Amino acid sequence: MSESGKKLTIVGAGAVGTSAAHWAVSRKVAQEIVMVDVVDGIPQGKALDISQSAPLCGFHGSVIGTCDYKDTAGSDVVIITAGLARKPGMSRDDLLSKNVEIVKQVTENIVSQSPEAVIVVVTNPIDAMVYTVFKVSGFPKNRVVGMAGVLDSARYRTFLAKALGVAPRDVTALVMGIHGDNMLPLTRLASVAGVPVEQLLSKQQLEEIVRRTKYGGGEIVQHLKTGSAFTTPGLCAIEMAQSVLFDEKRVLPCAAYLEGEFGIDGVFLGVPVVLGRGGVERIVEFELTEQERAALEKSVEAVKKQVAATGL
Ligand code: A3D
């Protein structure tokens, strides 16, 4: 893959933003990569460091760090990672009020400089933050999308692959719903090279994998103590950005705005979407079982509570 001549901005040069910039360079997803943060010196220093990996990665574009949104003008994709991350004992909801204010301000700045961008939101609690960006930006629903399902599904696929003793890339699996305790890792649709995992693993094994997937983020927070997962979250955001920048039309689980799909209306929720140049080009709708529908309803209720707390 070679740089597309496109421009990618990453807001928040913390752990996830830095990981995203690193993956963006190593995957060569854009010609111009801009890192933005409020803390002067951090985006500049990190961008300089990452830019010096160019000869080793075969990257021909530029990486700059800045506190000035003018440098982000005309971005094709903007990834928002600005905000606080979880510490042990904190739920994603605890972050809500502080991150709403940050995300509002960031969104206004992005819109003023890149009115045609597709915005990928990573800041937690994601399902409420993506709604905040949608409301504040005034962008059409297809140009605002949340990253969570790609990460939750990657965790799910990793745990399934380990239990099966197979290559992780041969495992296909989908996590839908909220990015939180009520997420829905679907066992019915998980497969390895097309073979349903329900025929390969016991009910008990699958239940344990589903539980570990749901609490996968918390497990990492417990180890780190001072922050949350960042390496794979950064890659997941780039996986989405790449699909938009290269018009790949990947089918990825993302938080998308639902207007009747799956019988759900007026919330962002993790569902499989087709991601291309236009952002969310299509939601891939399919028939759910009664049990899955009930589980998804729990997600909707939890997301609605979060959205109400944003005051928007
Ligand atoms: P951290 O390393 O603290 O980085 C956040 C960065 O945001 C810091 O460098 C701050 O200076 C910067 N920042 C704060 N306010 C602003 C502002 N107004 N404008 C620009 N930059 C600002 O956190 P992190 O990178 O570990 O996590 C970032 C966010 O992503 C948190 O909300 C996490 O909870 C979230 N996150 C989400 C996922 C999902 O799967 C959805 C996964 C991992 C992290």
Side-chain angles (χ1 to χ4, degrees), residues 281-293:
E281 297 190 344
R282 191 155 45 93
I283 290 168
V284 181
E285 211 179 345
F286 60 94
E287 204 64 45
L288 295 170
T289 65
E290 281 297 306
Q291 212 181 4
E292 289 162 354
R293 184 166 295 284

Side-chain angles (χ1 to χ4, degrees), residues 231-303:
T231 305
T232 306
L235 174 58
C236 294
I238 294 304
E239 184 95 332
M240 291 169 65
Q242 179 179 319
S243 192
V244 175
L245 291 164
F246 287 82
D247 196 24
E248 289 179 336
K249 304 199 191 300
R250 297 282 313 279
V251 179
L252 299 171
C254 302
Y257 192 67
L258 301 183
E259 288 181 307
E261 296 88 352
F262 295 99
I264 298 163
D265 205 43
V267 289
F268 279 84
L269 202 69
V271 291
V273 310
V274 178
L275 267 190
R277 179 71 31 90
V280 176
E281 297 190 344
R282 191 155 45 93
I283 290 168
V284 181
E285 211 179 345
F286 60 94
E287 204 64 45
L288 295 170
T289 65
E290 281 297 306
Q291 212 181 4
E292 289 162 354
R293 184 166 295 284
L296 205 60
E297 271 308 315
K298 279 193 182 163
S299 269
V300 174
E301 290 315 311
V303 171

